[in-house]
Amino acid sequence: MRADRVFAYGATAGLLADLILGDPRRGHPVAAFGRAAGAVEQVLWRDHRGWGALHTAVCVGGAVSLAAAAGCLARPSRTASVALTAAATWAVVGGTSLGREARAIGRSLETGDVEGARERLPHLCGRDPQALDSAGIARAVVESVAENTSDAVVGALVWGALGGVPGLVGFRAVNTLDAMVGHRSDRYRRYGWAAARLDDVAGWPGARLTAVLATLTGGDPRGAVQAWRDDAGKHPSPNAGPVEASFAGALGVRLGGTLSYGGRVEHRPVLNQEGRAVEVHDIERAVRLSRRVGVLALGVSVAARALVKGRTA
């Protein structure tokens, strides 16, 4: 079976498994990778970029090598190749769990249980929940849904189209490692530099595809284009900027502004200044937009891989 068909069947099955089942509840491969990366960090950590780069190379290279070896073992069997691609896709995408967490917080806010929403927020993002009121929590959830649509769904599918199972696994390894060591704390300012920069590179194509699809499928394409054009570059992240700006414009809301991470206050530019403040019901709108973007990203990724394969055949 041609590689493009293996990816098409396997990725579709894997995304369907995520839509129906969500993340694996036990023995999640991403959690196992996180534990392994933590163990490597204990051995290698130095307050130095070079040691951080070695950590990144060992962790990401090891994950990609294992995925490539599994792909080679499965290659003689069409069924095994499709099953491996499906399993890898299911393991690395997280759109359904993202939507469940966002909706759970939204339900708490709808019933006035702000404290319950604060307790659940760390499951979704790294904001300081005690610093947020109901409106701030709703905004944080919408921003997290937007950014994680790219990180947890679209980016993985793009790299799966480019590199098969090693691409799927490699992207998730890079993204997970960035979440672990790529932030600007005193411990990781130097050590996490390589992981953060690699995540910027790996996330670039998925973020742009996410922004395009959000623009096309959101409620206000013109507003999404304008917000992306005017405000994406103001965001400190080169990839979160286009995604959050396009979501803001598509939903007609304002994102960005003052936020708090780990006791550190940041004053970020407002995205889509002409939009209204985020309300609780916008969480559901953002989740639905995320779902549409994820499904369309699968179609685009499958079509792109088939097109490239057809030209090189």
Side-chain angles (χ1 to χ4, degrees):
M1 184 183 294
R2 289 180 7 175
D4 58 320
R5 293 179 182 174
V6 169
F7 175 73
Y9 299 151
T12 300
L15 192 62
L16 284 173
D18 177 67
L19 291 173
I20 297 169
L21 302 173
D23 287 336
R25 296 189 179 276
R26 293 184 179 180
H28 200 303
V30 175
F33 171 82
R35 290 191 294 271
V40 173
E41 179 187 341
Q42 290 182 356
V43 175
L44 295 181
W45 188 90
R46 307 287 190 281
D47 190 17
H48 190 276
R49 285 185 176 184
W51 285 95
L54 178 60
H55 179 215
T56 301
V58 169
C59 294
V60 176
V64 171
S65 296
L66 287 173
C72 288
L73 291 174
R75 189 169 298 153
S77 168
R78 292 178 296 180
T79 301
S81 295
V82 171
L84 178 63
T85 303
T89 303
W90 180 35
V92 304
V93 301
T96 296
S97 294
L98 170 65
R100 286 175 180 170
E101 288 296 335
R103 283 170 167 153
I105 296 171
R107 286 193 296 270
S108 294
L109 293 176
E110 287 171 353
T111 61
D113 183 12
V114 177
E115 193 56 41
R118 289 193 180 113
E119 290 178 3
R120 294 198 70 101
L121 188 62
H123 298 171
L124 193 62
C125 63
R127 308 285 176 88
D128 293 335
Q130 298 306 319
L132 299 173
D133 58 10
S134 178
I137 294 172
R139 193 192 82 195
V141 171
V142 171
E143 290 173 353
S144 296
V145 168
E147 185 172 1
N148 283 295
T149 299
S150 177
D151 289 343
V153 183
V154 181
L157 292 172
V158 167
W159 280 98
L162 292 172
V165 172
L168 288 163
V169 172
F171 176 80
R172 177 54 59 227
V174 169
N175 192 248
T176 302
L177 201 61
D178 176 63
M180 295 177 65
V181 305
H183 42 87
R184 297 181 179 179
S185 65
D186 291 339
R187 177 177 175 85
Y188 296 124
R189 192 176 303 276
R190 295 184 182 87
Y191 188 80
W193 177 85
R197 298 292 78 75
L198 183 59
D199 184 67
D200 287 343
V201 174
W204 196 95
R208 273 69 194 171
L209 179 58
T210 302
V212 168
L213 296 178
T215 297
L216 294 175
T217 61
D220 185 0
R222 182 175 297 179
V225 169
Q226 183 165 348
W228 182 1
R229 182 187 62 199
D230 294 345
D231 299 329
K234 302 174 184 177
H235 198 286
S237 168
N239 294 328
V243 172
E244 291 186 19
S246 61
F247 263 69
L251 297 171
V253 299
R254 294 192 304 273
L255 298 179
T258 301
L259 49 84
S260 176
Y261 281 104
R264 185 182 73 255
V265 176
E266 294 185 16
H267 301 284
R268 293 184 177 177
V270 173
L271 308 177
N272 193 35
Q273 181 70 58
E274 301 302 317
R276 57 173 173 77
V278 175
E279 299 174 2
V280 174
H281 75 273
D282 292 314
I283 293 175
E284 179 63 26
R285 296 177 63 223
V287 170
R288 290 181 179 178
L289 177 57
S290 174
R291 179 70 59 87
R292 293 195 296 271
V293 167
V295 172
L296 286 175
L298 173 65
V300 171
S301 299
V302 167
R305 187 169 177 88
L307 180 62
V308 171
K309 181 66 177 179
R311 288 183 174 181
T312 57

